Amino acid sequence: MSGEILIVGGGMVGAAAACALSAEGFQVRLLERQRPDCAWPREGFEIRVSAISRASHNIFEHLGAWPEMVRRRVTPYERMVVWESAGGEIRFDAAELGEPELGHIIENGVIQCALWQVLAQRPEVEVITGAELLSLEPDARRPALRVRKGEQEERLEADLIVAADGARSQLRELAGIETRGWSYDQHALVCTLRAEKGNQATAWQRFMPSGPLALLPLEKEYFSIVWSTSPAEASRLAELAPEAFNEAVTRASEARLGELTLEGERGVFPLRLQHASRYILPGLALVGDAAHVIHPLAGQGVNLGLLDMAELVRVVVEARDRRRPLGHEQTLRKYERARKGENLAMQAAMDGFKRLFSNDITPLRLARNLGLDLADRLGPLKRLLVRNAMGTLGELPPLAR
Ligand SMILES: Cc1cc2nc3c(=O)[nH]c(=O)nc-3n(C[C@H](O)[C@H](O)[C@H](O)COP(=O)(O)OP(=O)(O)OC[C@H]3O[C@@H](n4cnc5c(N)ncnc54)[C@H](O)[C@@H]3O)c2cc1C
């Protein structure tokens, strides 16, 4: 019994799932709106990047996609500095942990294209583009998806259907799975900058009452920034003349990296917290942003999605080895149990951070500064924080080890 799996969404998480499941011998059909544009080299940097944890790096190595990411462009960072304007500061250093780096900054397109390149060499994977989803028939043994392609309607059956179609998952909607959450009333302004003092293999994050500013190192003297602030301020910053924007971002970073200069376009993304009420139905599993969307301040979104994928692969392989239906609720419940609590905890922690640092009440500010400084001096707490950010705490699915 090999098993057929239908995945909707070929973004970073869905493409990784297709690589992992085909490597396990499953027949995979991957539905994606359109094939990504993977031409390389390209001019400039993409504005969407991800801070990739050690656990995700391990997954990409296991899937055989890491060498292609390296061939394109990945930037390791060895240090991280988190500070608040009023004085509190914490520094993390890979050397203190005996690690070569804390993580890597990688453009989202580089990740997706390296995974698609692995898929292109897999005869077990059929890619279907441009199909419109019409309806879902959940079933523990043979769930099915009705789609329209051009004039044709088709019914695609499988042993399991995976929703990896992102935060606005249509498949989740067709399944009638509700989400809970709220808008953060913050938008993230995203762009590439050149820094006078170079990248120093360091990621920076400053907490301000209006929201955090993260500066993630790219090659040489370049940085990708994620500046979370009120929607009105984000639009204002996006429309400022380049010189005025350079001045504003240099000031916001307290010129720690010297003068900052805008390179290319700016993008604005609304931020929300969202969690699916359940991750599974008979014959269906949600992974990645289709299941949960968290604040980008800790750069964990795709890392959590990749761990979902790795855990789902683990339970599906186990079910096949025991000759159990892949889409049986008992099988999928194991996946949900392993991932939902962990994702909720990370989401709650990031939400708490965001609220704590969005507040300018003096006692809170003092407590925060004290907290950051204290954490900086307490070796074990600091190591715990950083291991958590590297995704190497707790029990990991085999693909992430
Ligand atoms: C400003 C910002 C910064 C971030 N920074 C980080 C970071 O540093 N580190 C980190 O880990 N995370 C970060 N994240 C989060 C991260 O980008 C997401 O968690 C990640 O993109 C989710 O991947 P995914 O594959 O689940 O979904 P997506 O990336 O949304 O991919 C979904 C895919 O499904 C396809 N699709 C959708 N609907 C259909 C359909 N009907 N039919 C076929 N295909 C469909 C889409 O075309 C797309 O390819 C950040 C997010 C934001 C907004």
Side-chain angles (χ1 to χ4, degrees), residues 8-14 31-33 48-51 108 112 133 164-166 170 188 190 226 269 271 288-289 296 299-303:
V8 179
M12 295 184 279
V13 175
L31 263 70
E32 171 55 55
R33 286 213 175 98
R48 294 290 308 268
V49 310
S50 297
N108 290 2
Q112 192 191 17
L133 312 187
D165 50 347
Q170 198 195 341
V190 180
V226 182
F269 298 88
L271 300 181
D289 273 24
Q300 286 299 332
V302 75
N303 292 304

Side-chain angles (χ1 to χ4, degrees), residues 83-380:
W83 85 102
E84 213 196 357
S85 29
E89 177 166 314
I90 184 165
R91 287 171 173 263
F92 300 102
D93 195 328
E96 285 176 17
L97 296 161
E99 298 281 351
E101 75 275 315
L102 294 174
H104 290 84
I105 309 299
I106 316 181
E107 289 147 272
N108 290 2
V110 166
I111 297 176
Q112 192 191 17
C113 287
L115 293 164
W116 275 70
Q117 199 182 67
V118 172
L119 292 180
Q121 294 148 17
R122 294 273 164 79
E124 304 85 351
V125 180
E126 180 194 352
V127 174
I128 302 173
T129 52
E132 183 193 345
L133 312 187
L134 299 176
S135 63
L136 172 76
E137 298 163 27
D139 185 276
R141 288 188 177 268
R142 286 298 274 178
L145 193 58
R146 251 180 209 290
V147 301
R148 183 184 298 123
K149 206 165 175 219
E151 300 291 291
Q152 300 265 327
E153 278 192 21
E154 223 180 308
R155 187 170 175 281
L156 306 173
E157 266 190 18
D159 295 306
L160 175 68
I161 300 180
V162 179
D165 50 347
R168 296 188 193 177
S169 170
Q170 198 195 341
L171 191 47
R172 183 186 64 218
E173 255 173 45
L174 290 177
I177 298 178
E178 291 181 352
T179 60
R180 299 196 189 109
W182 53 82
S183 156
Y184 273 122
D185 207 22
Q186 270 187 354
H187 285 184
L189 177 121
V190 180
C191 65
T192 308
L193 299 172
R194 212 172 51 220
E196 191 186 7
K197 293 188 181 169
N199 100 7
Q200 304 165 56
T202 305
W204 306 79
Q205 177 137 267
R206 178 187 172 195
F207 282 100
M208 297 180 275
S210 51
L213 165 67
L215 299 115
L216 309 171
L218 298 169
E219 236 174 30
K220 297 179 197 145
E221 69 273 31
Y222 294 96
F223 279 85
S224 175
I225 70 157
V226 182
W227 188 349
S228 310
T229 184
S230 69
E233 179 64 1
S235 321
R236 191 187 72 84
L237 289 168
E239 275 146 36
L240 275 182
E243 300 73 35
F245 179 78
N246 294 344
E247 217 179 287
V249 70
T250 304
R251 202 173 334 113
S253 67
E254 295 185 326
R256 289 208 175 193
L257 297 90
E259 293 273 335
L260 299 173
T261 315
L262 178 67
E263 286 281 320
E265 56 181 307
R266 285 163 273 183
V268 173
F269 298 88
L271 300 181
R272 54 178 292 112
L273 177 149
Q274 177 175 292
H275 218 118
S277 57
R278 49 191 305 180
Y279 286 14
I280 59 166
L281 276 187
L284 175 76
L286 313 185
V287 291
D289 273 24
H292 46 76
V293 180
I294 75 170
H295 197 287
L297 73 86
Q300 286 299 332
V302 75
N303 292 304
L304 295 180
L306 289 165
L307 286 176
D308 294 346
M309 171 298 283
E311 181 62 25
L312 182 64
V313 171
R314 190 189 71 74
V315 303
V316 165
V317 167
E318 185 185 88
R320 181 197 46 199
D321 293 349
R322 296 186 177 172
R323 303 193 161 272
R324 299 210 174 118
L326 308 183
H328 202 278
E329 249 185 302
Q330 244 173 345
T331 303
L332 298 180
R333 183 77 59 206
K334 286 189 200 163
Y335 157 66
E336 185 182 60
R337 224 181 291 128
R339 294 302 308 153
K340 198 170 174 197
E342 199 147 310
N343 291 335
L344 276 168
M346 178 63 85
Q347 198 174 43
M350 289 315 119
D351 189 49
F353 256 113
K354 189 246 159 211
R355 283 165 196 276
L356 176 66
F357 283 94
S358 301
N359 208 310
D360 210 20
I361 303 167
T362 308
L364 254 185
R365 203 174 59 219
L366 290 176
R368 280 194 314 250
N369 288 343
L370 224 77
L372 281 181
D373 285 342
L374 202 65
D376 194 40
R377 268 176 269 133
L378 290 178

